Amino acid sequence: MHFTKNRIDALDTRTRAHFINSLSGFKSANLIGTQDAQGQTNLSIVSSVIHLGANPPLVGMIIRPHSVARHTFENILQTGVYTINQVNQSIYSQAHQTSARYDREESEFDATGLTAEYLMDFQAPFVKQSRLKYSVKLVEHQHLAINGTEFVIGEIMDVYVDDNAVEADGFIDLHALETVAITGLDSYHTTTKLARLPYAKK
């Protein structure tokens, strides 16, 4: 099959979204936990979290255009903090449901049956059922004029992970955590580890 630029442009909006979103392959599934200054919680699934650096420990994520209410983005700007909670096999269906458009006064925690958890007096809520989660402090955000998205950069503060998943060299075994991956907009996958390879040298 050959998809030219013209053929891609001719696809209807939903088909093009599925097609283009699938091109980047398997992506991480994460729930972003926030709350506003009044304590109203929000939870949203994001598949765009990426590693930006280890020292300082930075992560980035893309948030869709702010053409409609984006409670997650608004809460991050308001409070300067958020949590990233990895999705596992036990909660992927509930995690997906957070992508529905709920009113600001409705908490996705309540709507999906996921449990808000507050750790170390951090202002943003964690997902109790997540087996790998971390608190993040906003350090920078950039508006991308090319498509109206927002690139949010945060510094990792505290990490909470199951004891059995962290190996002696610091490697986190996501397979042991039953972490799931996303392709496209709505396809969830389990993983099978092939191998850990030695550091590549000439």
Side-chain angles (χ1 to χ4, degrees), residues 119-137:
L119 300 171
M120 297 292 292
D121 296 322
F122 195 69
Q123 185 177 357
F126 294 86
V127 177
K128 186 172 185 178
Q129 294 88 342
S130 176
R131 299 172 64 182
L132 170 56
K133 49 204 168 193
Y134 42 102
S135 55
V136 186
K137 178 181 70 176

Side-chain angles (χ1 to χ4, degrees), residues 92-129:
Y92 76 91
S93 182
Q94 293 158 288
H96 181 72
Q97 182 59 33
T98 66
S99 63
R101 290 190 179 179
Y102 293 95
D103 293 335
R104 173 172 286 283
E105 297 74 25
E106 296 179 276
S107 172
E108 289 81 359
F109 283 100
D110 297 334
T112 63
L114 293 169
T115 307
E117 178 180 42
Y118 292 88
L119 300 171
M120 297 292 292
D121 296 322
F122 195 69
Q123 185 177 357
F126 294 86
V127 177
K128 186 172 185 178
Q129 294 88 342

